[in-house]
Amino acid sequence: MTKSKKAFVPLTCQLKCMELPVIYQDEHIIVVDKPVDLPVHKNDFMPHDAPYLTKLVGDITGKWIYNVHRLDSKTSGLIVLAFSSEMANKLTQMFERKEVEKTYLAIVQGNPGEGIFDRKVLVKKKTKIKKPAVTRFRTLKTVGTTISYKEKTNVELSLAEIAPETGRWHQIRQHFAQHHHDILGDTHHGDFTLNKIVTAETGVKRLFLHASKLTFLHPANGEVMAFENRLPQEFDQVLHYYSKK
């Protein structure tokens, strides 16, 4: 279900929304559709003038921005931000209590069907520590290809709907890689050969993981906030390319 309440969009946003679509905004929170390859926060590895989400949203709204949940820089899609520490704390607690419903879409190798991945995953980069994680999934569409390499022949690609019940580092990417259903475009956990072939054939290069739905109770009034966005154009491009082969 898409939130029907019309968002208030300031003039400054109207000038920049081609890069950063604002899905909803009120005096307490803002929901945006984060582009792929845009970090949420500034980090030590970025050039000093590199863009990041909280800065862009701050520039758009003229307000101080508080982040409340994680979305990897290479993952696109819906993210909610707060305009005060009070609202941020309430939203953060909702995420910690697993009261927020998050749904992702991904293009993955093979056909995973429907089920649950529950193997432990690494808690962060360059560590051997693992913790429990749970990811629900179901296949929405599968297309065949003529891609063959190593021991693989006519590799299938599937559009999967994914609902993580925990929020570990790269959880979705790790879980699908563990079960040989690597997410397309994943350069950290995925199938590098498949990534290279698909990019060469389609001209599209990105991580095919997108936050498509977000549902939570408004931290100020308890109203149900439900948002859904469209499948990214790059997803359609790749799926269409192989469905026509």
mmCIF file of all heavy atoms in Angstrom, residues 108-111 142-158 180 182 184 191 194 197-198 242:
data_model
loop_
_atom_site.group_PDB
_atom_site.id
_atom_site.type_symbol
_atom_site.label_atom_id
_atom_site.label_comp_id
_atom_site.label_asym_id
_atom_site.label_seq_id
_atom_site.Cartn_x
_atom_site.Cartn_y
_atom_site.Cartn_z
ATOM 1 N N VAL A 108 18.666 -11.855 -8.288
ATOM 2 C CA VAL A 108 19.597 -12.843 -7.749
ATOM 3 C C VAL A 108 19.866 -13.948 -8.769
ATOM 4 O O VAL A 108 19.088 -14.164 -9.699
ATOM 5 C CB VAL A 108 19.056 -13.461 -6.439
ATOM 6 C CG1 VAL A 108 18.721 -12.362 -5.435
ATOM 7 C CG2 VAL A 108 17.819 -14.328 -6.688
ATOM 8 N N GLN A 109 20.958 -14.634 -8.550
ATOM 9 C CA GLN A 109 21.325 -15.759 -9.416
ATOM 10 C C GLN A 109 20.457 -16.974 -9.095
ATOM 11 O O GLN A 109 20.242 -17.311 -7.926
ATOM 12 C CB GLN A 109 22.796 -16.097 -9.217
ATOM 13 C CG GLN A 109 23.294 -17.194 -10.133
ATOM 14 C CD GLN A 109 24.794 -17.439 -10.010
ATOM 15 O OE1 GLN A 109 25.310 -18.454 -10.471
ATOM 16 N NE2 GLN A 109 25.513 -16.509 -9.379
ATOM 17 N N GLY A 110 19.951 -17.640 -10.140
ATOM 18 C CA GLY A 110 19.137 -18.830 -9.940
ATOM 19 C C GLY A 110 17.729 -18.493 -9.498
ATOM 20 O O GLY A 110 17.280 -17.340 -9.565
ATOM 21 N N ASN A 111 17.022 -19.499 -9.003
ATOM 22 C CA ASN A 111 15.651 -19.341 -8.521
ATOM 23 C C ASN A 111 15.582 -19.842 -7.081
ATOM 24 O O ASN A 111 15.503 -21.050 -6.840
ATOM 25 C CB ASN A 111 14.683 -20.129 -9.396
ATOM 26 C CG ASN A 111 13.228 -19.958 -8.968
ATOM 27 O OD1 ASN A 111 12.937 -19.410 -7.902
ATOM 28 N ND2 ASN A 111 12.303 -20.421 -9.783
ATOM 29 N N THR A 142 11.273 -15.179 -12.755
ATOM 30 C CA THR A 142 12.548 -15.770 -13.173
ATOM 31 C C THR A 142 12.677 -15.685 -14.688
ATOM 32 O O THR A 142 11.709 -15.948 -15.415
ATOM 33 C CB THR A 142 12.652 -17.239 -12.730
ATOM 34 O OG1 THR A 142 12.561 -17.310 -11.293
ATOM 35 C CG2 THR A 142 13.974 -17.847 -13.159
ATOM 36 N N VAL A 143 13.866 -15.286 -15.151
ATOM 37 C CA VAL A 143 14.130 -15.246 -16.591
ATOM 38 C C VAL A 143 15.348 -16.110 -16.884
ATOM 39 O O VAL A 143 16.271 -16.202 -16.078
ATOM 40 C CB VAL A 143 14.369 -13.806 -17.092
ATOM 41 C CG1 VAL A 143 13.122 -12.959 -16.924
ATOM 42 C CG2 VAL A 143 15.545 -13.148 -16.376
ATOM 43 N N GLY A 144 15.335 -16.751 -18.043
ATOM 44 C CA GLY A 144 16.471 -17.558 -18.460
ATOM 45 C C GLY A 144 17.467 -16.713 -19.241
ATOM 46 O O GLY A 144 17.119 -15.672 -19.799
ATOM 47 N N THR A 145 18.723 -17.145 -19.246
ATOM 48 C CA THR A 145 19.751 -16.470 -20.034
ATOM 49 C C THR A 145 20.569 -17.526 -20.771
ATOM 50 O O THR A 145 20.418 -18.727 -20.531
ATOM 51 C CB THR A 145 20.712 -15.645 -19.142
ATOM 52 O OG1 THR A 145 21.659 -16.531 -18.521
ATOM 53 C CG2 THR A 145 19.964 -14.860 -18.079
ATOM 54 N N THR A 146 21.422 -17.056 -21.657
ATOM 55 C CA THR A 146 22.361 -17.955 -22.331
ATOM 56 C C THR A 146 23.754 -17.841 -21.706
ATOM 57 O O THR A 146 24.742 -18.302 -22.283
ATOM 58 C CB THR A 146 22.445 -17.617 -23.827
ATOM 59 O OG1 THR A 146 22.841 -16.239 -23.980
ATOM 60 C CG2 THR A 146 21.099 -17.840 -24.509
ATOM 61 N N ILE A 147 23.811 -17.242 -20.518
ATOM 62 C CA ILE A 147 25.096 -17.061 -19.836
ATOM 63 C C ILE A 147 25.608 -18.409 -19.326
ATOM 64 O O ILE A 147 24.928 -19.098 -18.561
ATOM 65 C CB ILE A 147 24.950 -16.082 -18.661
ATOM 66 C CG1 ILE A 147 24.551 -14.693 -19.168
ATOM 67 C CG2 ILE A 147 26.243 -16.004 -17.858
ATOM 68 C CD1 ILE A 147 24.231 -13.707 -18.054
ATOM 69 N N SER A 148 26.800 -18.772 -19.749
ATOM 70 C CA SER A 148 27.429 -20.018 -19.295
ATOM 71 C C SER A 148 28.899 -19.753 -19.003
ATOM 72 O O SER A 148 29.581 -19.092 -19.795
ATOM 73 C CB SER A 148 27.300 -21.109 -20.365
ATOM 74 O OG SER A 148 25.934 -21.391 -20.641
ATOM 75 N N TYR A 149 29.388 -20.237 -17.870
ATOM 76 C CA TYR A 149 30.785 -20.082 -17.502
ATOM 77 C C TYR A 149 31.115 -21.094 -16.418
ATOM 78 O O TYR A 149 30.244 -21.536 -15.676
ATOM 79 C CB TYR A 149 31.081 -18.663 -17.018
ATOM 80 C CG TYR A 149 30.275 -18.233 -15.809
ATOM 81 C CD1 TYR A 149 30.799 -18.287 -14.525
ATOM 82 C CD2 TYR A 149 28.971 -17.780 -15.958
ATOM 83 C CE1 TYR A 149 30.062 -17.906 -13.419
ATOM 84 C CE2 TYR A 149 28.216 -17.391 -14.865
ATOM 85 C CZ TYR A 149 28.763 -17.453 -13.593
ATOM 86 O OH TYR A 149 28.019 -17.085 -12.499
ATOM 87 N N LYS A 150 32.372 -21.477 -16.364
ATOM 88 C CA LYS A 150 32.823 -22.497 -15.418
ATOM 89 C C LYS A 150 31.909 -23.712 -15.539
ATOM 90 O O LYS A 150 31.722 -24.252 -16.616
ATOM 91 C CB LYS A 150 32.851 -21.931 -13.998
ATOM 92 C CG LYS A 150 33.800 -20.752 -13.828
ATOM 93 C CD LYS A 150 33.775 -20.175 -12.413
ATOM 94 C CE LYS A 150 34.705 -18.985 -12.291
ATOM 95 N NZ LYS A 150 34.667 -18.365 -10.939
ATOM 96 N N GLU A 151 31.290 -24.132 -14.427
ATOM 97 C CA GLU A 151 30.412 -25.300 -14.485
ATOM 98 C C GLU A 151 28.946 -24.920 -14.675
ATOM 99 O O GLU A 151 28.067 -25.792 -14.696
ATOM 100 C CB GLU A 151 30.572 -26.133 -13.196
ATOM 101 C CG GLU A 151 29.891 -25.565 -11.953
ATOM 102 C CD GLU A 151 30.615 -24.368 -11.339
ATOM 103 O OE1 GLU A 151 31.699 -24.023 -11.839
ATOM 104 O OE2 GLU A 151 30.076 -23.795 -10.377
ATOM 105 N N LYS A 152 28.683 -23.644 -14.867
ATOM 106 C CA LYS A 152 27.300 -23.161 -14.954
ATOM 107 C C LYS A 152 26.863 -22.998 -16.410
ATOM 108 O O LYS A 152 27.636 -22.531 -17.248
ATOM 109 C CB LYS A 152 27.163 -21.834 -14.214
ATOM 110 C CG LYS A 152 27.508 -21.936 -12.734
ATOM 111 C CD LYS A 152 27.425 -20.595 -12.033
ATOM 112 C CE LYS A 152 27.811 -20.731 -10.562
ATOM 113 N NZ LYS A 152 27.752 -19.441 -9.834
ATOM 114 N N THR A 153 25.592 -23.382 -16.668
ATOM 115 C CA THR A 153 25.055 -23.305 -18.024
ATOM 116 C C THR A 153 23.692 -22.630 -18.007
ATOM 117 O O THR A 153 22.831 -22.967 -17.185
ATOM 118 C CB THR A 153 24.919 -24.711 -18.641
ATOM 119 O OG1 THR A 153 26.188 -25.377 -18.588
ATOM 120 C CG2 THR A 153 24.429 -24.635 -20.073
ATOM 121 N N ASN A 154 23.505 -21.677 -18.917
ATOM 122 C CA ASN A 154 22.221 -20.982 -19.045
ATOM 123 C C ASN A 154 21.695 -20.519 -17.678
ATOM 124 O O ASN A 154 20.613 -20.910 -17.224
ATOM 125 C CB ASN A 154 21.181 -21.871 -19.730
ATOM 126 C CG ASN A 154 21.594 -22.244 -21.148
ATOM 127 O OD1 ASN A 154 22.301 -21.495 -21.823
ATOM 128 N ND2 ASN A 154 21.170 -23.404 -21.602
ATOM 129 N N VAL A 155 22.482 -19.676 -17.052
ATOM 130 C CA VAL A 155 22.159 -19.187 -15.708
ATOM 131 C C VAL A 155 20.820 -18.461 -15.686
ATOM 132 O O VAL A 155 20.533 -17.637 -16.558
ATOM 133 C CB VAL A 155 23.272 -18.238 -15.213
ATOM 134 C CG1 VAL A 155 22.902 -17.607 -13.884
ATOM 135 C CG2 VAL A 155 24.592 -18.992 -15.097
ATOM 136 N N GLU A 156 19.995 -18.765 -14.705
ATOM 137 C CA GLU A 156 18.731 -18.052 -14.515
ATOM 138 C C GLU A 156 18.946 -16.849 -13.602
ATOM 139 O O GLU A 156 19.817 -16.853 -12.732
ATOM 140 C CB GLU A 156 17.677 -18.968 -13.889
ATOM 141 C CG GLU A 156 17.187 -20.066 -14.791
ATOM 142 C CD GLU A 156 16.088 -20.884 -14.146
ATOM 143 O OE1 GLU A 156 16.161 -21.114 -12.916
ATOM 144 O OE2 GLU A 156 15.157 -21.297 -14.859
ATOM 145 N N LEU A 157 18.123 -15.823 -13.796
ATOM 146 C CA LEU A 157 18.097 -14.658 -12.919
ATOM 147 C C LEU A 157 16.688 -14.477 -12.398
ATOM 148 O O LEU A 157 15.717 -14.640 -13.146
ATOM 149 C CB LEU A 157 18.537 -13.397 -13.672
ATOM 150 C CG LEU A 157 19.960 -13.364 -14.218
ATOM 151 C CD1 LEU A 157 20.186 -12.098 -15.030
ATOM 152 C CD2 LEU A 157 20.980 -13.447 -13.079
ATOM 153 N N SER A 158 16.559 -14.169 -11.114
ATOM 154 C CA SER A 158 15.240 -14.025 -10.510
ATOM 155 C C SER A 158 15.088 -12.691 -9.799
ATOM 156 O O SER A 158 16.041 -12.184 -9.188
ATOM 157 C CB SER A 158 14.983 -15.152 -9.493
ATOM 158 O OG SER A 158 14.906 -16.409 -10.128
ATOM 159 N N HIS A 180 24.277 -19.626 -2.631
ATOM 160 C CA HIS A 180 24.594 -19.638 -4.064
ATOM 161 C C HIS A 180 23.508 -18.978 -4.909
ATOM 162 O O HIS A 180 23.300 -19.351 -6.063
ATOM 163 C CB HIS A 180 24.842 -21.074 -4.540
ATOM 164 C CG HIS A 180 25.851 -21.805 -3.708
ATOM 165 N ND1 HIS A 180 27.194 -21.464 -3.693
ATOM 166 C CD2 HIS A 180 25.709 -22.835 -2.813
ATOM 167 C CE1 HIS A 180 27.838 -22.264 -2.853
ATOM 168 N NE2 HIS A 180 26.967 -23.089 -2.295
ATOM 169 N N ASP A 182 23.620 -15.520 -5.374
ATOM 170 C CA ASP A 182 24.280 -14.228 -5.223
ATOM 171 C C ASP A 182 23.450 -13.096 -5.807
ATOM 172 O O ASP A 182 22.852 -13.229 -6.886
ATOM 173 C CB ASP A 182 25.636 -14.251 -5.924
ATOM 174 C CG ASP A 182 26.473 -15.447 -5.519
ATOM 175 O OD1 ASP A 182 26.227 -16.552 -6.050
ATOM 176 O OD2 ASP A 182 27.361 -15.288 -4.677
ATOM 177 N N LEU A 184 22.928 -9.928 -7.853
ATOM 178 C CA LEU A 184 23.612 -9.395 -9.026
ATOM 179 C C LEU A 184 24.257 -8.038 -8.692
ATOM 180 O O LEU A 184 23.632 -7.186 -8.059
ATOM 181 C CB LEU A 184 22.604 -9.235 -10.163
ATOM 182 C CG LEU A 184 23.164 -8.944 -11.554
ATOM 183 C CD1 LEU A 184 24.058 -10.075 -12.024
ATOM 184 C CD2 LEU A 184 22.023 -8.717 -12.536
ATOM 185 N N ASP A 191 29.024 -13.003 -7.140
ATOM 186 C CA ASP A 191 29.669 -13.755 -8.216
ATOM 187 C C ASP A 191 30.277 -12.745 -9.195
ATOM 188 O O ASP A 191 29.575 -12.154 -10.016
ATOM 189 C CB ASP A 191 28.628 -14.632 -8.921
ATOM 190 C CG ASP A 191 29.221 -15.573 -9.944
ATOM 191 O OD1 ASP A 191 30.170 -15.161 -10.631
ATOM 192 O OD2 ASP A 191 28.726 -16.710 -10.065
ATOM 193 N N LEU A 194 29.727 -13.438 -13.077
ATOM 194 C CA LEU A 194 28.367 -13.130 -13.523
ATOM 195 C C LEU A 194 28.159 -11.619 -13.599
ATOM 196 O O LEU A 194 27.563 -11.115 -14.557
ATOM 197 C CB LEU A 194 27.347 -13.757 -12.575
ATOM 198 C CG LEU A 194 25.881 -13.484 -12.918
ATOM 199 C CD1 LEU A 194 25.526 -14.052 -14.280
ATOM 200 C CD2 LEU A 194 24.959 -14.066 -11.843
ATOM 201 N N ILE A 197 29.781 -10.292 -16.776
ATOM 202 C CA ILE A 197 29.074 -10.686 -18.002
ATOM 203 C C ILE A 197 27.798 -9.867 -18.181
ATOM 204 O O ILE A 197 27.509 -9.355 -19.269
ATOM 205 C CB ILE A 197 28.755 -12.190 -17.979
ATOM 206 C CG1 ILE A 197 30.046 -13.008 -18.067
ATOM 207 C CG2 ILE A 197 27.820 -12.563 -19.131
ATOM 208 C CD1 ILE A 197 29.853 -14.498 -17.846
ATOM 209 N N VAL A 198 27.009 -9.736 -17.125
ATOM 210 C CA VAL A 198 25.747 -8.996 -17.222
ATOM 211 C C VAL A 198 26.004 -7.529 -17.553
ATOM 212 O O VAL A 198 25.301 -6.929 -18.372
ATOM 213 C CB VAL A 198 24.934 -9.130 -15.919
ATOM 214 C CG1 VAL A 198 23.721 -8.192 -15.936
ATOM 215 C CG2 VAL A 198 24.463 -10.573 -15.739
ATOM 216 N N TYR A 242 16.897 -9.912 -20.767
ATOM 217 C CA TYR A 242 17.003 -11.376 -20.804
ATOM 218 C C TYR A 242 15.683 -12.062 -21.094
ATOM 219 O O TYR A 242 15.676 -13.175 -21.632
ATOM 220 C CB TYR A 242 17.628 -11.884 -19.501
ATOM 221 C CG TYR A 242 19.090 -11.537 -19.417
ATOM 222 C CD1 TYR A 242 19.561 -10.601 -18.503
ATOM 223 C CD2 TYR A 242 20.013 -12.118 -20.278
ATOM 224 C CE1 TYR A 242 20.911 -10.257 -18.445
ATOM 225 C CE2 TYR A 242 21.363 -11.783 -20.225
ATOM 226 C CZ TYR A 242 21.794 -10.848 -19.316
ATOM 227 O OH TYR A 242 23.131 -10.513 -19.269
#
